[in-house]
Amino acid sequence: MTERRTRIRRVLFERDVELTLVDEALDQLAGARPGSGTAAAPGAGAASGPGASGGALLAFSGPAGLGKTTLLAEVRRRARARACTLLAARGGEREQGQPFHVARQLIQPQLAGRSEAELRAALGSWYAIVGPALGLCAPEEGAPPDPQGLRDGLDWVLTHLAVQRAPVVLVLDDAHWADPESLGWLAAFAPRAEQLPLLLVVAYRPDELPVHAEAFRTLPGRAGRRPLTLAPLTAAAVGRLLRDEVGDHADDAFCREAWEVTAGNPFEAVELSAKVHDRGLDPVESSAPLLRDLAAAQRGSGLVARLERLGPSTVRFAWACAVLGTAIPRDLAARVAGLGTEEAVDATERLRGARILCAAAEQEGGGADGGPEPDDGLEFVHPLIATAIYRAIPDGLRVALHGQAAVAVVDGGLGASAAARHLLEAHPENDPWVVRTLREAARENLRAGAPEAARRQLARALREPPDFDERAAVLYELGCASLLTEPANTVNHLRAALDEPVEDPALRQGIVIRLAQVLAHSDRLAEACDALAREIPHTPDVRGRLRLQSEQFMWGAFNAAEPDSPARSRRLARLADRLTGRDLTERYVIGLRAWDATLRGEPVDVVLHHAGRALADGFSWAHEDRGFEVPVLAAMAHMYADRPERAEELFEAGTAEFERQGWRGAHLSFAYSLRAYIRFRSGRLVEAEELARAGLRLAERVGRRTPVHWYAIAILVETLLARDRAEEAWDLARAHEFAEPFPAAVVFPDSQTVYAELLLARGNTAAAIAELEAVDRRLTPRGIQNPAWCPWQLHLALAVAPREPARARALAADALRRARVFGAPSAVGQALRVAARVGPSSRRVELLEESVALLGASPAGYELCRSLLDLGVARRDPALLERAAAVALSCGADGVAAAAEAALATAGRAPVTARSGS
């Protein structure tokens, strides 16, 4: 062990700059200990300012052999010397396809060995979300977490560890080979290191770093430094290294030749020095020509030739280790190589003596006092050696070894996921066991939050191929795994599954429903409805047919281009009125009836009757095989019916369910954005803006121009307009490309109408009129005429009033008539205010008085302050203007408040803000 430690220190020649940075970071980190007052509370995203907690990110880059691994081993040694908690992991070229391989290396040792009760206590609500990904527990029943929710959970766990076990040093070697799930998470987490008692140190090959880890390449590290590129050793350093190995009598010419043949590569220089020592080569100028051959023997074909001289059984053992990757159990390698225990021990010793393999603890630069044992796991001395040996295995034999490794891994109890990475390298052979194992691995990974890994495994299972009667099920599972990442391919997989003979009615129904779902979420709502319509007549089971009909009704309700929307509404009404709500499917149909009544402006009592029936036994917002759309629609129906408190209650329950389930991407963004819309409709504009921005932040993580991103922008734009910040709303819309073409879905609020409001606020009346007339052409033929849901008539009336007063009055009168039929006071009050603005002056006060009376009895505070302002101006009543200003200030309606204050000033009255002391 002493000799090995000496060799590690020797390779650290000319790394003073790097080690100085490491020491500075560790010294700053040393004060961040439990009880020191610098750590954040458990689960907090950040403590005080940058540097206060001592955290930092250090990144080292360089080609293979430049000493990154040895430098990180020294970082670990120095971290231990300072009593830091150490989290260490290493990417592996062979393990890149094994999801969360690196995350498990980092976190599992800190939590392993605990009972289930202890793990649940340590992880809290994150137990079922991150536990399966970290290999700490089996996935629970129910829908899996989305990838973003899982990353949030891993963030919490790492933050918790950093705070509770401060100071913490996290070291990731060979980051370029880390699995995508772990690397994407760590790259996104990296900026938070500076706000935690956490030093994050990574090393990578710059030419091989994946795109999703660019944060390590571009993020400034401590003191504003960018990642450091390791330089080759100078001739003087190689000379010192060589003389330390063979003696001070090595002459200058010999040492310079050693530098030239190794190009200053530390790994090659160390290996060459060892070979000179082992061969007893006289280190003088006359021996210098021999160095080139010695150097060649440690690379490529030279290395392979050296390995072959160790004997056939040793070669097979080395090949097995190269196939297995890192942290290789010797017994497992022996089984893959077909060797007995004694042969494996002998092979291990030969490979260690040849500096090809070492014990894992040696590679880490540590180990027990008595030295590391091979049973601790084996590693290749350097990844270059592992790569060279792996590539030297004959193609056919390499494939066979991967197949043997898969069987050995499963028999060893390591699970289907561990075997799957080997099966991905094996050739298809029509083996049912391979298909079963890959499907099992895909299920594990999908439920653990790694859909991309599941997709790869199922695609490979499809090439095996599966048995004739199993093919449809594999295609269906592949479609489910690809839903979030490859919607176009998902459609192809599911349609192919329907072309197969499917004997299981439940499977066929699941395929059709999933196909409709992915088409709808790809803004292909008409195709979604068609897919369901084709299947319904051929579904003999009554309950199954009703389930398909409920899905068809739902996507039809969202489809703005539906050819005969009134006919669908009539069919839905007839069906829903017959149903009793005895199961979830019936309640879904009844919930859709409540939403349809809302869109069409049927009386509020009808809407609330059906919404109440739908919610009689409650809805799960995170049901495993259903969307969250109908629970959302039932909640929104309450909002439009002036029952925002009930809508808030439902959304709070749904949001909590999303968070518990680990659905923290699109689902949670929808929840935040629509809760913002409820606050907007309730006149709580400051709270609405905060929630809308939170929804937008989540939507940005999902991706731009996705449905959830579109809705988040629309709600935030409308809120900013209500707060009299039109230019900010315009800048936001331009930055996020909020303009035509608009989604095909009927949503809340209507995006095109919000865009028209934005144009009106900026004075572009002609363009706004064109947009609102397009909304008319889109909605009126469908019978969607509730101004509470989409007040396009009111906006159009105000826009055309200066040039077409008669048209404006007609539009306002029709909107008022529709609002009175619906019966929600907020909708009627808003319509009355617009009718007063565009109608004859003789009726203005009368209409506004009714508007104020209705809005005063409604939850619509923002609409109330607008009507109060108009009435106060019309009657020249300072008391009304004061009330308008007070309500506007409480709502956060800054523009209305300013207008009311201006009117008060004209009347010679003091501003409300001055009298209230605000």
Side-chain angles (χ1 to χ4, degrees):
M1 176 54 66
T2 301
E3 182 179 344
R4 176 61 182 167
R5 288 183 183 275
T6 301
R7 183 168 293 125
I8 288 173
R9 286 197 292 273
R10 284 174 178 168
V11 185
L12 291 173
F13 283 139
E14 299 184 332
R15 294 291 179 251
D16 293 342
V17 171
E18 292 84 354
L19 291 175
T20 297
L21 278 175
V22 169
D23 284 336
E24 289 176 356
L26 288 171
D27 288 343
Q28 183 169 333
L29 189 68
R33 297 182 184 278
S36 67
T38 59
S48 47
S53 58
L57 167 65
L58 295 178
F60 301 106
S61 70
L66 261 286
K68 299 183 295 298
T69 294
T70 305
L71 177 60
L72 263 58
E74 180 65 12
V75 171
R76 291 192 293 272
R77 189 188 69 78
R78 296 186 183 203
R80 290 191 189 99
R82 288 170 169 81
C84 296
T85 300
L86 183 63
L87 312 179
R90 182 179 182 184
E93 189 175 15
R94 306 275 79 80
E95 290 90 347
Q96 291 180 80
Q98 196 166 342
F100 307 112
H101 178 68
V102 161
R104 290 185 180 195
Q105 291 179 69
L106 291 170
I107 297 174
Q108 195 179 73
Q110 304 297 321
L111 299 173
R114 302 189 184 191
S115 67
E116 180 181 341
E118 290 171 329
L119 278 174
R120 287 185 180 275
L123 298 177
S125 61
W126 294 106
Y127 173 81
I129 298 170
V130 302
L134 295 175
L136 298 169
C137 64
E140 295 182 354
E141 291 300 317
D146 63 36
Q148 186 57 59
L150 180 56
R151 284 193 291 270
D152 287 348
L154 293 172
D155 283 355
W156 184 91
V157 172
L158 184 52
T159 300
H160 188 82
L161 286 172
V163 171
Q164 293 297 309
R165 303 187 184 183
V168 174
V169 178
L170 187 156
V171 180
L172 173 58
D173 194 9
D174 288 334
H176 53 281
W177 281 339
D179 61 276
E181 291 81 5
S182 297
L183 191 57
W185 159 57
L186 278 174
F189 184 89
R192 298 174 60 182
E194 293 188 336
Q195 283 81 48
L196 291 167
L198 171 67
L199 174 61
L200 199 161
V201 187
V202 297
Y204 59 85
R205 299 181 191 174
D207 293 342
E208 299 181 43
L209 190 69
V211 173
H212 56 268
E214 283 299 302
F216 294 140
R217 198 192 302 273
T218 59
L219 182 75
R222 189 167 176 269
R225 297 179 188 273
R226 289 190 175 274
L228 287 179
T229 300
L230 302 186
L233 299 179
T234 63
V238 172
R240 291 202 310 276
L241 190 156
L242 189 58
R243 289 185 175 106
D244 280 354
E245 186 73 38
V246 302
D248 292 338
H249 61 288
D251 65 25
D252 291 343
F254 186 88
C255 291
R256 184 165 187 83
E257 180 66 12
W259 173 70
E260 290 183 356
V261 300
T262 61
N265 184 293
F267 165 69
E268 295 197 11
V270 168
E271 289 299 308
L272 182 62
S273 299
K275 286 184 175 62
V276 170
H277 179 275
D278 293 347
R279 296 284 183 90
L281 192 64
D282 194 9
V284 296
E285 184 175 4
S286 60
S287 303
L290 301 175
L291 290 174
R292 196 164 298 277
D293 289 339
L294 278 180
Q298 65 200 27
R299 316 184 195 106
S301 59
L303 172 65
V304 172
R306 181 158 60 93
L307 172 63
E308 289 175 349
R309 288 195 291 271
L310 299 178
S313 62
T314 304
V315 171
R316 288 203 308 276
F317 189 80
W319 286 350
C321 289
V323 164
L324 289 169
T326 58
I328 308 151
R330 185 173 60 194
D331 291 345
L332 186 63
R335 176 166 178 181
V336 174
L339 302 179
T341 302
E342 291 186 6
E343 288 179 297
V345 170
D346 290 343
T348 300
E349 291 308 311
R350 291 192 190 97
L351 291 167
R352 293 181 73 190
R355 290 183 297 278
I356 291 174
L357 284 182
C358 62
E362 281 185 296
Q363 188 75 320
E364 294 295 309
D369 294 339
E373 292 298 325
D375 286 344
D376 294 338
L378 298 170
E379 297 275 3
F380 284 93
V381 167
H382 196 278
L384 286 171
I385 295 175
T387 299
I389 292 176
Y390 183 80
R391 292 176 179 172
I393 305 173
D395 291 345
L397 182 56
R398 183 171 60 245
V399 169
L401 287 173
H402 275 296
Q404 290 171 219
V407 175
V409 162
V410 171
D411 291 346
L414 299 181
S417 293
R421 75 174 182 88
H422 295 292
L423 295 176
L424 292 176
E425 303 292 337
H427 290 322
E429 292 184 349
N430 196 24
D431 186 339
W433 179 85
V434 171
V435 175
R436 286 196 305 273
T437 304
L438 287 167
R439 289 181 69 188
E440 182 181 348
R443 283 191 292 272
E444 290 176 6
N445 286 319
L446 194 60
R447 299 187 73 83
E452 179 58 24
R455 184 199 63 76
R456 291 193 301 269
Q457 290 152 0
L458 289 164
R460 170 63 183 81
L462 200 60
R463 294 195 300 271
E464 186 61 19
D467 289 341
F468 183 72
D469 58 355
E470 194 179 8
R471 181 176 168 81
V474 175
L475 283 164
Y476 171 60
E477 291 165 8
L478 180 56
C480 293
S482 306
L483 181 63
L484 294 176
T485 55
E486 297 183 342
N489 283 341
T490 299
V491 170
N492 294 335
H493 297 320
L494 294 173
R495 283 182 167 155
L498 289 177
D499 289 338
E500 298 291 328
V502 183
E503 295 183 2
D504 182 1
L507 173 60
R508 186 169 185 89
Q509 177 179 295
I511 295 169
V512 174
I513 290 171
R514 185 69 76 176
L515 174 60
Q517 181 184 16
V518 70
L519 287 169
H521 289 173
S522 303
D523 210 27
R524 298 159 65 180
L525 288 153
E527 292 181 59
C529 293
D530 288 345
L532 292 159
R534 285 194 299 271
E535 190 67 22
I536 289 170
H538 305 291
T539 304
D541 177 62
V542 174
R543 306 310 294 176
R545 189 162 60 250
L546 182 62
R547 172 70 194 278
L548 294 174
Q549 286 175 316
S550 72
E551 296 287 328
Q552 184 188 27
F553 282 132
M554 179 175 69
W555 299 127
F558 287 124
N559 182 16
E562 188 179 27
D564 193 355
S565 185
R568 175 186 54 80
S569 291
R570 290 191 294 271
R571 292 195 305 273
L572 175 59
R574 287 195 299 269
L575 177 60
D577 290 345
R578 295 199 310 267
L579 300 178
T580 61
R582 63 176 176 167
D583 61 15
L584 190 59
T585 297
E586 290 195 1
R587 294 202 302 278
Y588 264 58
V589 173
I590 295 168
L592 289 166
R593 170 72 176 102
W595 178 245
D596 192 70
T598 301
L599 290 180
R600 298 182 185 285
E602 295 183 42
V604 164
D605 290 347
V606 174
V607 171
L608 293 176
H609 167 70
H610 291 300
R613 287 207 301 145
L615 294 168
D617 293 326
F619 268 141
S620 169
W621 290 48
H623 198 282
E624 183 174 8
D625 66 342
R626 292 182 187 265
F628 65 102
E629 291 84 2
V630 175
V632 166
L633 295 179
M636 296 302 284
H638 281 86
M639 183 200 71
Y640 288 112
D642 281 351
R643 303 294 193 278
E645 69 289 339
R646 177 58 172 152
E648 279 269 16
E649 178 186 330
L650 293 167
F651 266 94
E652 285 175 7
T655 302
E657 193 172 3
F658 288 158
E659 290 177 332
R660 285 195 305 272
Q661 195 71 27
W663 291 8
R664 302 177 68 87
H667 295 82
L668 196 59
S669 176
F670 270 121
Y672 275 109
S673 296
L674 293 178
R675 285 176 69 186
Y677 195 48
I678 295 171
R679 303 282 173 91
F680 166 81
R681 301 269 307 191
S682 302
R684 298 153 68 184
L685 303 182
V686 176
E687 298 171 28
E689 182 180 343
E690 292 174 356
L691 281 168
R693 291 192 184 280
L696 179 57
R697 285 193 296 272
L698 289 168
E700 288 271 62
R701 301 195 302 187
V702 176
R704 291 200 167 192
R705 298 197 71 80
T706 56
V708 64
H709 180 254
W710 199 275
Y711 306 154
I713 292 294
I715 291 166
L716 182 53
V717 164
E718 189 154 26
T719 303
L720 291 173
L721 290 176
R723 303 203 67 195
D724 198 35
R725 286 150 60 185
E727 286 306 310
E728 184 180 345
W730 178 251
D731 291 342
L732 179 79
R734 291 181 62 192
H736 292 269
E737 302 177 41
F738 182 71
E740 296 190 69
F742 296 101
V746 175
V747 296
F748 20 77
D750 181 71
S751 299
Q752 194 168 11
T753 303
V754 173
Y755 184 63
E757 288 182 64
L758 183 56
L759 293 173
L760 281 174
R762 301 191 76 250
N764 195 345
T765 304
I769 290 172
E771 295 291 348
L772 291 166
E773 289 173 341
V775 174
D776 178 15
R777 292 191 296 271
R778 178 162 53 85
L779 297 183
T780 299
R782 297 193 60 198
I784 298 177
Q785 55 185 16
N786 188 353
W789 176 74
C790 182
W792 66 267
Q793 287 178 300
L794 302 179
H795 296 305
L796 184 57
L798 293 171
V800 302
R803 293 190 177 184
E804 303 177 79
R807 182 186 179 195
R809 286 195 293 271
L811 285 164
D814 192 45
L816 179 57
R817 177 188 61 78
R818 295 179 179 188
R820 290 192 189 280
V821 171
F822 184 56
S826 62
V828 180
Q830 183 182 9
L832 283 165
R833 184 183 66 254
V834 174
R837 284 191 179 185
V838 303
S841 57
S842 59
R843 295 198 62 208
R844 184 166 303 161
V845 171
E846 172 195 347
L847 293 172
L848 288 171
E849 285 177 341
E850 186 183 359
S851 174
V852 167
L854 286 168
L855 290 171
S858 83
Y862 171 57
E863 298 298 336
L864 172 61
C865 70
R866 297 173 76 186
S867 290
L868 281 168
L869 174 61
D870 285 4
L871 182 58
V873 170
R875 287 175 39 178
R876 300 178 183 177
D877 185 339
L880 286 170
L881 294 173
E882 289 172 356
R883 186 181 169 200
V887 174
L889 288 170
S890 69
C891 289
D894 303 330
V896 177
E901 299 282 25
L904 283 169
T906 302
R909 301 289 289 268
V912 171
T913 51
R915 276 173 279 163
S916 64
S918 58

